[in-house]
C-alpha cells in the first residue's frame, strides 16, 4: 500500500545579511501512520516565531530541545537557523 502525503514548505527567508539566498525547510507529511505523520500547525507557528525573533532567542550559546513535536519541524528550523 502506497503512503499518500505531501511536503510542508517552511520558507525561512535569508538567514543573515551575508547569506542572501532564501532558505526553505521541507517536512514530509503523511496521510496515514502512527508516528511522525502530521506537521502540527503549532509547529509552523513556533517555527515562524523563531524565524522572526531569531536575534532575541537564538544565539551561538542557545540550545534547543524539542520534545514530542511530531515530525521535528521546529528542530529542523532551529538547526537551519544555527
Amino acid at each position: 500500500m502506497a503512503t499518500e502525503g505531501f511536503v510542508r514548505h517552511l520558507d525561512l527567508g535569508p538567514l543573515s545579511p551575508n547569506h542572501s539566498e532564501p532558505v526553505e525547510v521541507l517536512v514530509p507529511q503523511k496521510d496515514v501512520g502512527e508516528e511522525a505523520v502530521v506537521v502540527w500547525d503549532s509547529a509552523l507557528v513556533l517555527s515562524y516565531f523563531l524565524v522572526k525573533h531569531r536575534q532575541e532567542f537564538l544565539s551561538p550559546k542557545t540550545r534547543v530541545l524539542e520534545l514530542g513535536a511530531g515530525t521535528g519541524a521546529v528542530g529542523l528550523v532551529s538547526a537551519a537557523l544555527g
Side-chain angles (χ1 to χ4, degrees):
M1 174 200 298
T3 302
E4 297 297 322
F6 59 95
V7 176
R8 299 293 289 257
H9 297 262
L10 301 165
D11 182 11
L12 306 183
L15 295 184
S16 71
N18 298 334
H19 188 271
S20 60
E21 295 283 324
V23 174
E24 186 175 42
V25 175
L26 306 176
V27 184
Q29 179 167 317
K30 301 174 189 172
D31 292 337
V32 296
E34 295 179 14
E35 303 174 342
V37 176
V38 175
V39 179
W40 299 107
D41 291 340
S42 58
L44 299 176
V45 170
L46 180 55
S47 295
Y48 285 119
F49 178 86
L50 289 174
V51 169
K52 185 175 180 179
H53 299 284
R54 65 179 162 247
Q55 301 298 337
E56 300 167 47
F57 292 102
L58 301 177
S59 71
K61 295 182 179 180
T62 301
R63 301 290 182 253
V64 175
L65 175 63
E66 180 186 24
L67 299 174
T71 59
V74 175
L76 291 170
V77 168
S78 297
L81 293 172

